[in-house]
Structure formats: C-alpha cells, structure tokens
C-alpha cells in the first residue's frame, strides 16, 4: 500500500468510527458506523447516523405548505429508517392499492366461449408449439374483437380468424374461420404451371377492413418467393 492509501483509510476510520459518548446507552456498538452501509441494512432499528435535513429545500417547502403538509398523496418520510424499511412500507401501500382493483376485475372476468382448436399428446415435454403469431385487433366501429393466428400442424398454408362481439351476450356469424392460401397466387407471380404452396410468416390487421399478410413459398429451395398481400375481410 502507498502512503496515500494508508492516509485515506486512516481518514475514513477517523471520520466514521469516532467514539460517540451520546450513543453509549444504545444497543450494539457505540461508534459511528459507515454512513452509506447503514441505509442498506435490512433491519427495523433506527439509523445510527440519521441524515441532516436542515436546509433541504424540499422539506422546507413541505413545512411552509399548508395543503401539502397533511396531504395523503405524499408518501411519509422516515429519516430514522433504512432503505429496506422504507421499501417494505412502500410495497405494503402499493399492495393495498392494487388489491381492490384486482378483486373487482377478477370477479368481472368470465369465460364467454370455449373452442377446441387442436389436440396434443399428454406428455408436455413432447408437445410442440402449435399456436403461432396471435395478433389482436379491436374494431371499435362494429364492437368486434379479432384474433389472427396459425396452427403449425397440417395447416401451414392457413391463417385462422376468430372474432367475438365485445358484448358477450351477442354473437357474430362465422365466429371462427380459416383462409387457405395454397397456390392461388401462381398467376400473379409466374406464368409457369409449377405447383406452389404458400405459408404465412406473419399477419396483422392493416385497418378495420383489411388484413396484411407476409407469405413465403413452402418448397425447400433457395430464393423462395416472399409475398406481401392485402386481404379484405369481406
């Protein structure tokens, strides 16, 4: 160690570990602990060296404000406590605030309909991911919810559209349907008579009346065709 290092340590000990007779009757050690570490202790005991708030602009502002002094919107300040204590206090307040909305929302949610989309094996380890790219859309004009998704088993060329009325007591026609792309795009891409099959890479609603899909050729070869298609819901 250099003389500078020794001086630094000595100054630190001198500043923070002086004997403090006024603390002799306190529980535990009666010298002044390092001032940062005391805030990080996960204890409910008061700080050995609480901060000096004299001259703090925020506290002075609160003291002179008639309305803010007793405001329930301000989180109470605990100058004698560590950050762990304050953290637990704040978590308790937040949990209390969220409990009522959670109860109300939880009781208002119920199952409107149940549809079986596919079956899988009983073993979860061997179950592949079959449900892909679900995209949600809300048509506020017609009050209808839409869900776009694909199922990756024997239907890679299909995109499924599920729609439900926002009023669960009402129903809509064709609640769920599938659009199969197959090779219907052949004439618009190539004059060849090769059989081409397209699968859906991605799908999103463009607006309330149009769905945008990204298609790719399903054949295993380089230079696969990529198609951006706009499909009207009608």
């Amino acid at each position: 160690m250099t003389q500078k290092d020794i001086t630094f340590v000595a100054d630190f000990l001198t500043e923070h570990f002086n004997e403090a007779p006024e603390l002799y009757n306190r529980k535990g050690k009666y010298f002044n602990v390092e001032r940062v570490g005391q805030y990080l202790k996960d204890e409910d005991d008061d700080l050995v060296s609480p901060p000096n708030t004299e001259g703090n602009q925020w506290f002075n502002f609160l003291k002179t404000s008639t309305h803010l002094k007793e405001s329930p919107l301000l989180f109470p300040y605990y100058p004698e406590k560590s950050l762990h204590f304050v953290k637990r206090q704040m978590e308790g307040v937040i949990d209390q605030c969220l409990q009522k909305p959670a109860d109300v929302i939880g009781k208002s949610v119920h199952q409107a309909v149940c549809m079986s989309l596919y079956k899988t094996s009983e073993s979860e380890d061997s179950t592949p991911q079959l449900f892909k790219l679900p995209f949600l859309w809300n048509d506020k004009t017609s009050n209808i919810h839409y869900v776009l998704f694909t199922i990756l088993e024997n239907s890679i060329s299909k995109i499924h559209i599920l729609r439900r009325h926002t009023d669960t007591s009402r129903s809509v026609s064709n609640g769920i349907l599938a659009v199969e792309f197959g090779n219907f795009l052949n004439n618009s891409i190539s004059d060849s008579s090769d059989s081409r099959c397209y699968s859906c890479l991605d799908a999103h609603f463009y607006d309330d009346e149009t769905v945008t899909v990204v298609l790719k050729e399903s054949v295993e070869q380089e230079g696969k065709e990529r198609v951006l298609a706009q499909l009207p819901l009608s």
Side-chain angles (χ1 to χ4, degrees):
M1 297 176 66
T2 65
Q3 185 60 40
K4 185 177 181 180
D5 295 331
I6 297 175
T7 303
F8 177 79
V9 174
D11 290 342
F12 179 86
L13 295 176
T14 302
E15 180 181 355
H16 295 296
F17 289 87
N18 286 335
E19 289 191 1
E22 69 275 10
L23 299 178
Y24 282 0
N25 296 327
R26 292 281 298 273
K27 181 182 178 182
K29 299 177 180 178
Y30 53 79
F31 52 75
N32 190 1
V33 299
E34 194 273 314
R35 301 192 179 202
V36 175
Q38 65 177 345
Y39 289 101
L40 304 179
K41 290 183 178 180
D42 192 3
E43 300 174 352
D44 290 340
D45 295 339
D46 292 347
L47 299 176
V48 176
S49 299
N52 181 13
T53 59
E54 185 178 352
N56 185 294
Q57 295 180 352
W58 173 249
F59 294 124
N60 293 339
F61 171 69
L62 290 182
K63 289 178 182 178
T64 57
S65 174
T66 306
H67 301 288
L68 289 179
K69 187 182 300 184
E70 305 296 333
S71 174
L73 299 178
L74 292 178
F75 194 80
Y77 176 57
Y78 303 96
E80 303 286 336
K81 298 297 184 180
S82 71
L83 294 179
H84 279 281
F85 176 87
V86 176
K87 174 176 177 287
R88 286 196 299 271
Q89 292 289 109
M90 183 171 288
E91 286 176 341
V93 172
I94 293 175
D95 289 342
Q96 185 178 2
C97 292
L98 296 179
Q99 186 60 46
K100 185 66 175 179
D103 292 341
V104 173
I105 295 174
K107 293 177 181 178
S108 67
V109 174
H110 63 276
Q111 177 178 298
V113 65
C114 180
M115 297 182 180
S116 178
L117 299 177
Y118 55 81
K119 293 183 179 181
T120 61
S121 61
E122 295 182 1
S123 174
E124 294 183 0
D125 297 335
S126 61
T127 302
Q129 179 188 0
L130 299 180
F131 196 72
K132 188 181 177 185
L133 57 92
F135 178 76
L136 308 180
W137 180 266
N138 178 234
D139 183 349
K140 294 182 174 60
T141 304
S142 304
N143 295 324
I144 293 179
H145 281 306
Y146 288 92
V147 184
L148 296 178
F149 61 93
T150 56
I151 300 178
L152 305 180
E153 187 176 71
N154 301 325
S155 60
I156 58 175
S157 63
K158 294 179 183 178
I159 181 172
H160 296 75
I161 302 177
L162 169 67
R163 64 178 186 172
R164 295 286 303 173
H165 203 283
T166 53
D167 181 356
T168 55
S169 63
R170 301 177 59 183
S171 61
V172 293
S173 59
N174 298 328
I176 184 170
L177 55 85
V179 179
E180 184 167 11
F181 300 104
N183 56 4
F184 79 103
L185 292 171
N186 278 358
N187 293 335
S188 62
I189 293 179
S190 172
D191 293 330
S192 64
S193 59
D194 297 339
S195 177
R196 296 183 178 184
C197 187
Y198 292 89
S199 59
C200 183
L201 282 177
D202 201 359
H204 284 247
F205 268 82
Y206 181 76
D207 55 30
D208 288 341
E209 301 174 352
T210 311
V211 177
T212 301
V213 294
V214 180
L215 306 174
K216 73 168 183 177
E217 272 190 287
S218 300
V219 293
E220 294 295 333
Q221 66 181 29
E222 291 188 11
K224 295 179 181 178
E225 295 279 10
R226 295 292 194 275
V227 180
L228 181 67
Q230 298 271 67
L231 302 179
L233 274 181
S234 58

